[in-house]
Amino acid sequence: MPLINVYLRQGTTPEHRRNVSTALHKAMVDVLKIPDDDQFHVFHEVTPDNFHMQPVVFGLPRSERTMLIQLSFNQRTAEQKNELFRAIVDDLRLLAGVPEEDVMMVVFETARENWWAAGRVVNPETGYDERMTDVPTTT
């Protein structure tokens, strides 16, 4: 049950947020092989005076549309996370028109036992949703 928080400046349209959500979910399904119905995204639009960022970060110009994406899920390999980051950037560009330089991401990995949702069935051998067949074998 991944949880994604998206922080962006106030003033985006519902359509833009839906497109961002679609891009994020597509990347999670494609790369982490989460079930298609396992989507939980929370958007936080903040006023400009509560979103402080330099116009150039890590040597790249950033626009007022820059967003911070926090991804919370069980442990994955560095390779999987790198593949996920690339897929998210590509899907955001294609489906939501967000340029790569306006995306910043961070992953918060949690232990599998820290997640609960009614109706969810966890495979006791893997600790992941029983519908997931492509999961890490070691943590």
Side-chain angles (χ1 to χ4, degrees):
M1 185 180 94
L3 168 63
I4 299 177
N5 285 287
V6 180
Y7 295 88
L8 43 107
R9 282 198 173 97
Q10 195 172 44
T12 64
T13 66
E15 178 185 18
H16 177 71
R17 293 188 301 276
R18 276 191 304 276
N19 291 341
V20 167
S21 183
T22 298
L24 292 169
H25 190 60
K26 179 181 181 314
M28 297 289 286
V29 169
D30 291 349
V31 175
L32 299 185
K33 310 300 185 208
I34 66 168
D36 195 50
D37 68 348
D38 197 359
Q39 181 177 7
F40 199 84
H41 303 165
V42 180
F43 284 81
H44 307 270
E45 284 198 320
V46 297
T47 60
D49 59 330
N50 285 315
F51 198 112
H52 297 268
M53 181 187 69
Q54 295 296 319
V56 176
V57 179
F58 300 125
L60 293 175
R62 313 293 173 156
S63 82
E64 299 258 326
R65 291 185 56 193
T66 295
M67 62 181 68
L68 171 64
I69 302 168
Q70 293 179 334
L71 304 127
S72 299
F73 49 74
N74 295 345
Q75 292 179 330
R76 298 300 201 283
T77 66
E79 293 79 15
Q80 286 175 307
K81 288 181 277 191
N82 284 332
E83 185 181 349
L84 179 63
F85 291 149
R86 178 54 38 209
I88 287 173
V89 166
D90 291 345
D91 289 343
L92 283 171
R93 185 184 66 252
L94 291 171
L95 301 173
V98 178
E100 179 174 338
E101 58 273 8
D102 284 349
V103 179
M104 292 198 264
M105 292 181 268
V106 62
V107 169
F108 294 108
E109 291 181 309
T110 63
R112 295 180 299 247
E113 65 270 14
N114 291 339
W115 296 90
W116 182 89
R120 181 172 177 246
V121 179
V122 175
N123 178 331
E125 292 179 21
T126 67
Y128 289 81
D129 186 299
E130 70 176 6
R131 298 171 296 164
M132 294 177 65
T133 58
D134 187 15
V135 296
T137 55
T138 60
T139 56

